[in-house]
């Protein structure tokens, strides 16, 4: 088990408060992409950041924002290192992050998926329920909570989200896909 110093905990809080550039309603801590802050000397810090997916274009903006806030906090030498293992998962989003996504109008990813590869089932895009081989926890509309939703597009404003529509209130909404 890695021991974290009080200074590392403080700097982790500072860096973790940086908003995500694509979902500014969430902080990097709430999104779960900020892995560690390690102090290497009196003015030298290394930050570990895991992107939501390999090639995520927001990593550069996240890194620059982390460097900026740590410089403002008095750290002179900041290195942000991209770490791909362990891979980020939507299970890394905090409960607070899930609440904020819902309040922002984005259906949060479902929790409790089985470990291992994500299965792919081709067929109708409408949420059919567990009897049809779908997840026991359907994608619910963040506005009216109906489970009667359909997939409009596997991609939305970012590759991390899908575009869905509620068949009860007829409102479209983003769904943060499970990874």
């Amino acid at each position: 088990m890695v021991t974290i110093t009080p200074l590392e905990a403080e700097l982790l809080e500072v860096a973790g408060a940086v908003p995500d550039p694509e979902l500014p309603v969430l902080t990097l801590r709430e999104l779960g992409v900020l892995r560690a802050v390690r102090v290497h000397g009196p003015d030298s810090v290394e930050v570990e950041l895991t992107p939501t997916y390999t090639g995520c274009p927001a990593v550069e903006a996240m890194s620059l924002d982390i460097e900026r806030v740590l410089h403002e906090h008095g750290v002179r030498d900041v290195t942000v290192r991209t770490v791909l293992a362990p891979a980020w998962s939507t299970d890394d989003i905090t409960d607070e992050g899930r609440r904020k996504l819902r309040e922002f109008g984005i259906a949060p990813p479902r929790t409790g998926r089985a470990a291992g590869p994500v299965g792919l089932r081709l067929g109708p895009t409408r949420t059919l329920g567990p009897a049809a081989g779908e997840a026991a926890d359907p994608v619910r509309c963040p506005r009216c909570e109906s489970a009667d939703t359909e997939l409009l597009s596997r991609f939305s404003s970012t590759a991390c989200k899908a575009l869905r529509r509620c068949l009860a209130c007829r409102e479209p909404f983003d769904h943060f896909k499970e990874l």
Side-chain angles (χ1 to χ4, degrees), residues 16 23 26-36 48-53 83-99 101 108-113 176-179:
L23 290 165
L26 296 182
T27 66
L28 298 183
R29 181 190 59 77
E30 292 163 343
L31 187 57
V33 297
L34 187 64
R35 298 297 189 180
E48 292 182 359
L49 183 67
T50 299
T52 55
Y53 64 95
V83 178
L84 300 178
W88 178 86
S89 161
T90 50
D91 292 340
D92 295 329
I93 299 174
T94 66
D95 290 341
E96 177 71 4
R98 291 169 189 281
R99 182 191 63 76
L101 283 171
R110 294 166 287 194
T111 58
R113 70 173 181 84
F176 203 111
K177 297 184 280 192
E178 295 81 20
L179 293 175

Side-chain angles (χ1 to χ4, degrees), residues 66-101:
I66 289 169
E67 287 178 25
R68 179 186 47 78
V69 298
L70 291 178
H71 286 307
E72 290 171 357
H73 199 72
V75 180
R76 192 181 48 177
D77 181 31
V78 178
T79 302
V80 179
R81 188 167 61 91
T82 301
V83 178
L84 300 178
W88 178 86
S89 161
T90 50
D91 292 340
D92 295 329
I93 299 174
T94 66
D95 290 341
E96 177 71 4
R98 291 169 189 281
R99 182 191 63 76
K100 286 182 175 182
L101 283 171

